[in-house]
Amino acid sequence: MSEVSEFGSVPLSSPDMRANLWEQLQVSAPEVFADGKLNVEALQNLLGDENLAGGVLRSLV
């Protein structure tokens, strides 16, 4: 359903940004997924230590 305004038709619901990001990551880096789940270690290896901010991903492993 959408609402019509002076700017045209505007959707009443917002897109699920997390789902969109998840899908983009799966398409861009399928090698970091196993059985539909993120392999954090594989993502770390792909990004390299210099690209990890504050060790956030390191603390997940």
Side-chain angles (χ1 to χ4, degrees):
M1 179 177 231
S2 60
E3 181 178 292
V4 178
S5 71
E6 64 184 271
F7 302 108
S9 181
V10 178
L12 294 177
S13 62
S14 60
D16 184 349
M17 299 308 290
R18 284 182 154 185
N20 290 344
L21 182 58
W22 189 258
E23 185 177 312
Q24 288 176 7
L25 185 57
Q26 286 180 316
V27 169
S28 300
E31 66 274 20
V32 301
F33 289 89
D35 300 320
K37 295 182 180 181
L38 180 65
N39 179 328
V40 176
E41 188 173 340
L43 181 59
Q44 284 178 312
N45 291 334
L46 178 67
L47 295 175
D49 288 337
E50 65 277 1
N51 292 314
L52 299 178
V56 173
L57 289 177
R58 282 187 220 108
S59 66
L60 295 175
V61 177

